[in-house]
Amino acid sequence: MRGATHAKWAALATAVALAATACGGGDDGGGGGGGGADGIVSSSWTDPQNPLEPANTNEVQGGKVLDMIFRGLKRYNAKTGAAEDMLAEKIVTTDSINFTVTVKTGWTFSNGEKVTAKSFVDAWNYGANLKNNQKNAPFFGYIEGYDQVHPESGQPKAQTMSGLKVVDDQNFTVKLTQKFSTWPDTLGYSAFSPLPQSFFDDHAGWLAKPVGNGPYTIQSYAKGSQMELTRWDDYPGTDKAQNGGITLKVYTDNNTAYTDLTAGNLDLVDDVPASQLKNVSADVGDRYINEPAGIIQTLSFPFYDPAWNKPGQEKLRQGLSMAIDRQQITETIFQKTRTPAVDWTSPVLGEDGGFKDICGEFCKYDAAEAKKLVAEGGGIPGGTMKISYNADTGSHKEWVDAVCNSINKALGNTKACVGNPIGTFADFRNQITESKMPGPFRAGWQMDYPLIQNFLQPLYYTGASSNDGKYSDPDFDKLVNQANAETDTAKAVELFQQAEGVLRDDMGAIPLWYQNGSAAYSERVENVALNPFSVPVYNEIKVK
């Protein structure tokens, strides 16, 4: 099945307890707006890749907005990551295939429309349908009838999934293609958000000013400048905004954002640039957050390019991995906000959740062995490897240059590796999704759920939604399928780790380091925290 099940495993994961609260004294300088509950919080941001349709947003910047303007059936706890009921009154099943979902009463969209069972069913059918070209369509792939609305080839044979049925205003049924006892816990992901009828009646109008059912509403958006969100006072949820609104300011360089923060012109930077890590504690004191998060950085390869997909090139990729001195780079550039990677997941999973040193010697710096393997793998295509990255944040250039310097030194060739900056994050992502990368490119994965499956299947399964390099291995796919069908947690984790072993032997992507969540904030705000996904919990921020 294309993309297969993205998150069957949510309830099998051990909850990760991550909390960050900090506060500071100070004046009323900074991001504008009054103090108290009506104050406006200003935060750094980057333009999202796509319009803010829930089923078409699979990157962090757009996800930040969706998390403010939408609420779904489930919501992931801001401290533990655990899936908790939000709009779901209950989700019941007797066979783990057929589910009845009951939607809570009293919920509306910010335009006054009621949130009903139909709001979810219509949204999911829209997201799954091939003709709508939604990037998150595979998330619906385990619902019966998905193959009819989203066939591997050709046009859709149906417009709606047979596995979705509206019973009445508050109830709908879902039939899956196989047993998934933990399916309800996947429903906190933004792709499963409800949509108002206005989305379908005036799609262009909705895209210009999205309407959701979360604690904030979008007031304005000027691409390249800022988005203004204000508190929705009639929001019916318990997690109401503790501030008057959030102004997301677009920065093409997060060094500039950091400078604005320290000058009192910005309230929050949620990605402290590497060049400022040595200064941040002195600059903001205890208003600096640095904590583990479910994020891994990797180098992906364009397997769609014949030059990078030849027999025997696994040795080339393994050699390049061994040519990277992760320890030195994380210590000197990232100032203890990164940890050298030893697998393709994250330490936040814990050993029971699947974290283990799978990469072994291939993730250890060894210049002599690296040079040998690169030669045995046929050498770098064209003689020079370009590592692509988006240039609108200051930190990527530094570490890409450091990686290239390490590779060049190990291989004894000053031209073996160079950085390839691409203007903005949106431009960078567009070139990736259009399969136009000229060589390896920076990749990062921010978990949707704290489970090993989420770090492997969406990225490396054949045809998966976030498999940007088009990596494909039948043995990897087979093991993932077996793991998804396994009801015993320990056995399933072992099967996923075997799949990781296949990924290691192919070196389908080079693991670089695990990333901490980092943020710094002004004296003007308090109660600032990052959730386990390293996203600010905007609704809990208070303005003094």
Side-chain angles (χ1 to χ4, degrees), residues 313-397:
Q313 279 189 328
E314 68 278 358
K315 289 188 176 181
L316 164 66
R317 296 187 291 271
Q318 290 166 350
L320 291 172
S321 178
M322 296 182 76
I324 300 171
D325 193 339
R326 295 165 177 79
Q327 192 67 42
Q328 183 182 57
I329 293 171
T330 54
E331 288 180 359
T332 57
I333 291 182
F334 291 117
Q335 302 287 310
K336 298 181 180 180
T337 62
R338 308 289 191 275
T339 304
V342 297
D343 80 335
W344 286 260
T345 69
S346 168
V348 300
L349 296 181
E351 292 184 7
D352 291 342
F355 174 66
K356 185 180 180 181
D357 184 351
I358 299 290
C359 192
E361 63 178 348
F362 295 131
C363 283
K364 292 181 174 62
Y365 180 70
D366 187 330
E369 187 66 16
K371 189 172 184 179
K372 175 185 173 186
L373 283 172
V374 167
E376 290 177 355
I380 294 173
T384 299
M385 177 176 74
K386 296 181 178 180
I387 298 180
S388 297
Y389 63 95
N390 55 301
D392 55 356
T393 59
S395 58
H396 295 315
K397 174 177 169 50

Side-chain angles (χ1 to χ4, degrees), residues 262-301:
T262 55
N265 298 319
L266 188 69
D267 291 323
L268 174 63
V269 171
D270 66 343
D271 182 16
V272 178
S275 61
Q276 300 294 344
L277 291 173
K278 61 181 179 295
N279 306 318
V280 64
S281 293
D283 288 342
V284 302
D286 61 359
R287 291 176 281 109
Y288 169 52
I289 301 171
N290 175 31
E291 61 185 21
I295 305 174
I296 185 172
Q297 301 291 335
T298 62
L299 281 184
S300 288
F301 292 91

Side-chain angles (χ1 to χ4, degrees), residues 16 43 53 60 71 102 112 122 126 173 208 256 263 353 450 461 502 515 524 527 533:
V16 182
S43 182
E53 296 171 297
V60 175
R71 289 294 181 263
T102 301
D122 287 352
Y126 178 90
T173 59
T256 305
Y461 191 95
V502 174
Q515 182 174 328
R524 186 175 165 271
N527 204 38
F533 310 96

Side-chain angles (χ1 to χ4, degrees), residues 419-431:
N420 180 44
I422 296 173
T424 67
F425 177 73
D427 293 337
F428 175 66
R429 285 299 309 167
N430 286 334
Q431 289 190 34

Side-chain angles (χ1 to χ4, degrees), residues 116-270:
T116 66
K118 187 174 183 293
S119 308
F120 287 96
V121 171
D122 287 352
W124 297 4
N125 277 319
Y126 178 90
N129 198 307
L130 179 64
K131 68 180 182 181
N132 297 322
N133 196 31
Q134 301 288 284
K135 294 185 181 301
N136 286 329
F139 278 75
F140 307 100
Y142 39 83
I143 298 175
E144 185 182 77
Y146 175 80
D147 58 343
Q148 298 297 300
V149 302
H150 202 114
E152 290 282 356
S153 60
Q155 296 300 310
K157 300 177 179 64
Q159 298 306 307
T160 59
M161 291 180 283
S162 58
L164 290 179
K165 303 288 186 185
V166 175
V167 177
D168 54 38
D169 278 357
Q170 304 310 130
N171 295 278
F172 67 99
T173 59
V174 185
K175 184 176 183 180
L176 308 183
T177 56
Q178 56 183 295
K179 288 187 176 182
F180 287 138
S181 61
T182 59
W183 174 76
D185 292 299
T186 71
L187 302 179
Y189 184 59
S190 59
F192 295 103
S193 299
L195 288 170
Q197 187 59 40
S198 62
F199 175 90
F200 304 98
D201 293 343
D202 181 11
H203 191 219
W206 191 96
L207 291 179
K209 192 172 183 180
V211 172
N213 66 323
Y216 293 94
T217 61
I218 295 174
Q219 294 304 301
S220 65
Y221 174 38
K223 188 174 182 179
S225 178
Q226 67 181 28
M227 176 180 285
E228 294 182 351
L229 300 102
T230 59
R231 181 181 64 221
W232 178 27
D233 288 330
D234 293 329
Y235 172 67
T238 58
D239 56 332
K240 296 179 183 295
Q242 302 300 303
N243 50 68
I246 306 292
T247 297
L248 298 174
K249 295 187 175 183
V250 176
Y251 286 89
T252 56
D253 184 347
N254 60 353
N255 280 292
T256 305
Y258 184 82
T259 299
D260 278 357
L261 173 79
T262 55
N265 298 319
L266 188 69
D267 291 323
L268 174 63
V269 171
D270 66 343

